[in-house]
Amino acid sequence: MEPFVAYLYRVFLYSFPIISIILPFFLIAFWQTQTAQRLMVVQKTSIVLIFIVVNEASLLAPRLQLFSTLHWNWQGKIIDVIWVITFLHFYRRLSASEMALTHKLKPDSLRPVVIVTLVATFIPIVFFVFGVETQQILRLYCFK
Amino acid sequence: MTMPGIAEEVVFRGLFQGLLNQAFPKRWTIAKAQLGWGFILTAIIFGAVHLFSVDRQNSIHFSISNAMAPLVGAFVLGWIRERSSSLLPCVVAHNLGNTLVVIGSYLWP
């Protein structure tokens, strides 16, 4: 198989089960939406579903020499962010504040957010210490 | 070590939750945060994405236990995002969590 075709095949194999898992939840949310809003809902959710495939395509892309020796998938993550910036450049209907791209926190949110942030920090370690079989899988989680 | 956290927060809590919040109205208030289907769907997507992992040879691994922490974490990070209206605390929490996971992998091999 040609390398590019094999790459596309891997992206499909990877994206298809993810979309299959989340699609029923999208349908439940869709059915609870007012009929007049459904076209807009389809548009927005389609963008999200396309970006899930784009996200996987970025992560699975063959590594350039520059990134091949790095432990973390820097290349995939950088491509991911570039895709988002490119999308936002052309799609003007999502503002920075709607994306929460600000360093300013809502008034009176600092204290609860700091407390929950500290709790959230320890969620992965609790799960992974007790839930994951091998050190290799543990590293794969962060590597991705 | 910070890049995975930054990229995932921008894509998931930023782009996905932003778009889905536009699509679905916020219906509920939990601990002073306005939440809707956008919050739930983003968390489920984040968990589903972590059901699978890809190693350096592009081999795909499937693990439910791998997805549990990201799923629970995504609900917490989604709440933080809505409560603070900022991705900054989400990025901090995500990267601190990742750092502890790596440290934990060496302490409990």
Side-chain angles (χ1 to χ4, degrees):
Chain A
M1 200 185 290
E2 291 287 322
F4 184 67
V5 177
Y7 164 67
L8 291 179
Y9 183 62
R10 276 200 304 275
V11 171
F12 170 77
L13 278 180
Y14 201 81
S15 308
F16 183 74
I18 293 169
I19 291 173
S20 303
I21 288 167
I22 61 174
L23 212 51
F25 297 98
F26 272 92
L27 290 173
I28 293 168
F30 180 76
W31 280 321
Q32 292 191 357
T33 313
Q34 291 177 346
T35 314
Q37 291 183 316
R38 284 188 174 169
L39 181 63
M40 187 264 289
V41 169
V42 170
Q43 288 171 347
K44 307 282 182 189
T45 51
S46 299
I47 295 170
V48 171
L49 293 175
I50 289 166
F51 252 95
I52 289 170
V53 179
V54 169
N55 181 41
E56 300 313 326
S58 304
L59 293 171
L60 290 167
R63 304 276 186 91
L64 297 173
Q65 187 69 35
L66 175 68
F67 298 100
S68 61
T69 54
L70 298 175
H71 179 70
W72 300 77
N73 189 356
W74 279 81
Q75 179 184 295
K77 299 299 181 184
I78 290 169
I79 294 171
D80 247 2
V81 174
I82 290 171
W83 273 119
V84 173
I85 292 167
T86 308
F87 170 75
L88 292 174
H89 180 73
F90 293 104
Y91 189 81
R92 300 285 182 179
R93 289 177 218 162
L94 187 68
S95 65
S97 61
E98 285 174 308
M99 268 190 74
L101 287 176
T102 175
H103 66 281
K104 289 181 182 173
L105 308 187
K106 252 185 198 169
D108 300 327
S109 68
L110 182 63
R111 192 161 168 266
V113 162
V114 167
I115 292 167
V116 176
T117 298
L118 288 174
V119 173
T121 298
F122 287 93
I123 288 172
I125 200 75
V126 170
F127 273 87
F128 282 91
V129 166
F130 295 106
V132 178
E133 302 86 3
T134 65
Q135 188 178 7
Q136 187 187 9
I137 296 173
L138 194 65
R139 287 184 185 150
L140 279 170
Y141 161 67
C142 290
F143 173 72
K144 181 177 184 298
Chain B
M1 196 172 279
T2 55
M3 193 60 197
I6 293 172
E8 287 183 356
E9 291 311 314
V10 169
V11 172
F12 289 89
R13 250 67 61 188
L15 182 66
F16 288 3
Q17 198 156 330
L19 281 168
L20 294 170
N21 279 344
Q22 285 183 337
F24 303 104
K26 293 178 181 178
R27 294 160 176 246
W28 314 290
T29 302
I30 298 177
K32 294 185 180 177
Q34 292 279 312
L35 308 170
W37 272 105
F39 157 78
I40 294 172
L41 292 173
T42 304
I44 291 169
I45 294 168
F46 196 71
V49 165
H50 284 84
L51 270 174
F52 309 92
S53 58
V54 182
D55 64 16
R56 284 172 185 272
Q57 286 75 41
N58 278 340
S59 300
I60 297 170
H61 304 264
F62 175 84
S63 169
I64 290 174
S65 61
N66 270 15
M68 288 310 292
L71 179 65
V72 175
F75 277 110
V76 177
L77 290 170
W79 180 88
I80 290 172
R81 185 243 201 245
E82 298 297 349
R83 181 70 177 88
S84 66
S85 293
S86 171
L87 287 184
L88 188 62
C90 301
V91 172
V92 171
H94 194 138
N95 287 313
L96 282 173
N98 278 3
T99 305
L100 284 177
V101 167
V102 174
I103 293 168
S105 72
Y106 287 103
L107 292 177
W108 296 283

